[in-house]
Amino acid sequence: FRPIVPQRPGFGLTTPASAGQYLACAADDLALLIQTLGADDAVMLARDGGAAVALEFAARHPNLPCRVAMLNPRTPKAHAIERTGLLAVVARRLLGNPAIVHSVVELMRRQADRTTIERQLRATCAMAEADRVVLENSETVDGLVRDIQALVSRSYQGFADENFIYAADWSPPPVDHGRWRVLRSGALAKDEPDAPWQGLPGLVIETIPEAGFLAQFSHPKALVAALSAL
């Protein structure tokens, strides 16, 4: 595989999508990339909130190759399991009030100095031993921090738009073609529902044991094996 990592609209230095067009714009960008490269054997890996873009791509472009692995795809609000704890409560309040998403995300962007980002990164990855091992490498930490800073270097719009999609009760569109895998990290929550993805053709759901948020660093061979099986 040759990895190509496009930024979604409004992330990094990309142009934000027009109002209400985030998913359509992101999906069409992927289609243009595949067509321009002539990549008929393309395989897509979508993580977290990027799963919504992968599904929109499949729905909008049924004539293009569609082999997709979704790594820890974010659960649509209608299927989400109610969790306890401060962060879970804050997340529910945020997702329950789409109008405040942009303001909250801009506040987060203004606090995106290196020290704060690294502290939040380590706190997020504290759940999995595999992630903690990855973050023992200072060069990896530096790269992740710079990447996170770059995602909001121009604006917070992409991050806000993506979170707004989920806050506004997004649900997967009908997809009747392609081959799909849902990959779950074994060290993260084990009770995420399968229901949102059950209608996808050729669906395989599997767990990568002991993997956490940074599975692409800690378990690259497992990811490559899953992509190769599509």
Side-chain angles (χ1 to χ4, degrees):
F1 290 99
R2 177 184 179 182
I4 298 176
V5 188
Q7 297 288 14
R8 299 190 288 281
F11 286 89
L13 299 178
T14 64
T15 302
S18 301
Q21 296 299 309
Y22 170 75
L23 283 180
C25 182
D28 290 348
D29 284 350
L30 290 177
L32 179 62
L33 179 60
I34 290 172
Q35 291 170 323
T36 301
L37 294 175
D40 294 334
D41 57 348
V43 180
M44 190 180 305
L45 175 64
R47 297 186 295 127
D48 189 50
V53 173
L55 287 156
E56 185 70 15
F57 163 80
R60 290 176 64 87
H61 300 281
N63 59 314
L64 292 178
C66 185
R67 296 188 290 160
V68 182
M70 298 189 294
L71 176 62
N72 300 314
R74 191 180 307 180
T75 301
K77 189 169 67 170
H79 296 269
I81 297 170
E82 187 163 308
R83 304 188 188 281
T84 58
L86 178 60
L87 291 178
V89 171
V90 171
R92 280 201 299 277
R93 292 291 179 87
L94 181 63
L95 292 177
N97 295 273
I100 69 171
V101 169
H102 288 71
S103 297
V104 171
V105 172
E106 171 61 9
L107 178 63
M108 292 170 61
R109 187 180 81 89
R110 293 180 181 181
Q111 303 300 319
D113 62 274
R114 186 203 158 79
T115 301
T116 300
I117 290 175
E118 182 174 345
R119 183 171 63 248
Q120 292 174 342
L121 175 65
R122 293 187 182 279
T124 298
C125 296
M127 188 182 307
E129 174 63 19
D131 286 347
R132 295 195 293 270
V133 171
V134 167
L135 296 182
E136 290 175 359
N137 185 310
S138 60
E139 292 184 359
T140 300
V141 173
D142 288 343
L144 286 167
V145 169
R146 288 197 301 269
D147 189 47
I148 292 169
Q149 289 177 316
L151 288 176
V152 293
S153 60
R154 178 172 176 175
S155 79
Y156 65 93
Q157 195 65 45
F159 189 77
D161 285 348
E162 188 161 278
N163 280 275
F164 186 86
I165 293 298
Y166 286 88
D169 286 328
W170 170 84
S171 60
V175 174
D176 59 4
H177 67 288
R179 299 177 65 181
W180 297 80
R181 293 178 97 85
V182 169
L183 309 175
R184 293 209 170 100
S185 292
L188 303 182
K190 296 179 174 60
D191 53 358
E192 294 296 332
D194 296 337
W197 328 116
Q198 288 290 7
L200 294 172
L203 177 67
V204 174
I205 298 176
E206 61 182 289
T207 297
I208 303 175
E210 300 179 358
F213 287 103
L214 302 176
Q216 67 273 31
F217 290 93
S218 62
H219 292 75
K221 291 184 179 179
L223 286 180
V224 169
L227 295 174
S228 299
L230 284 166

